[in-house]
Amino acid sequence: LVSAALFLGAFSTGSAPLSLDHLAILIPVLLFHEAGHWLAMRTFGYRNLRMFFIPFFGAAVSGRHYNVPAWKKAVVSLMGPVPGIVGGAILGSAGLVLGKPLLLQIAMTALILNGLNLLPILPLDGGWVVQAILGSRSVLFEVVFRVLALGALFAIGFFLHDTPLLVLGGLMLVT
């Protein structure tokens, strides 16, 4: 709840604040996305599960795992964006058929957020899928992939003048 309050505060103030209408759509879309990760983690026996919001970035679920096979890690990563894309497509179709702009707005938010999350860039879910499937087989590939993902994150942050992405890139560089 504290992280959700900080998230709301971060996005409702600042240089480009989001309206309450946008936040009322964004937060349930993020919750649905993260609930998919949480459910998969719980199914695969992860411990100490926590869901939290990250101001300026989104939300995340964390948990401990011991000797989880790479394919299970990939499934956990996919269980956020895939249900979000399916749900967004269903809502979008319903919005078109029923002529409901609100459903279309929710659908577009879900499709964009979850679609971008599948990009193969760490720390996005697509990056974790690539990391789990290919990085677990080769330490060299893991290092090269992380360096390329870091470079992409810095480049996107630089060209979009997006300070939070640059900060995230800096945090990734430390790790």
Side-chain angles (χ1 to χ4, degrees):
L1 291 175
V2 170
S3 68
L6 291 172
F7 180 86
L8 280 170
F11 276 114
S12 60
T13 61
S15 62
L18 293 178
S19 70
L20 288 178
D21 292 342
H22 286 102
L23 287 170
I25 291 171
L26 180 61
I27 289 175
V29 167
L30 287 171
L31 278 172
F32 186 77
H33 176 100
E34 296 306 329
H37 292 308
W38 185 89
L39 183 61
M41 293 170 90
R42 185 156 173 94
T43 300
F44 291 140
Y46 282 60
R47 305 267 188 246
N48 300 327
L49 296 177
R50 307 259 190 274
M51 185 185 303
F52 51 93
F53 286 87
I54 305 166
F56 301 110
F57 292 110
V61 176
S62 69
R64 294 184 187 265
H65 56 82
Y66 302 99
N67 297 324
V68 175
W71 72 268
K72 287 184 178 181
K73 291 179 184 179
V75 169
V76 166
S77 294
L78 289 171
M79 283 302 293
V82 171
I85 289 170
V86 171
I90 292 169
L91 285 174
S93 298
L96 286 173
V97 169
L98 300 173
K100 300 288 185 182
L102 179 59
L103 288 179
L104 290 172
Q105 194 174 9
I106 295 168
M108 287 305 297
T109 301
L111 291 170
I112 291 169
L113 184 137
N114 288 291
L116 289 174
N117 216 302
L118 285 175
L119 290 172
I121 300 171
L122 288 172
L124 301 177
D125 291 328
W128 289 115
V129 170
V130 172
Q131 168 71 24
I133 293 172
L134 300 176
S136 64
R137 300 191 187 281
S138 166
V139 173
L140 178 60
F141 176 83
E142 180 179 355
V143 170
V144 169
F145 178 67
R146 285 181 181 255
V147 168
L148 290 174
L150 182 63
L153 196 58
F154 273 126
I156 292 168
F158 178 77
F159 287 115
L160 295 178
H161 305 288
D162 192 326
T163 303
L165 282 182
L166 294 172
V167 170
L168 182 61
L171 293 173
M172 281 184 62
L173 182 62
V174 171
T175 64

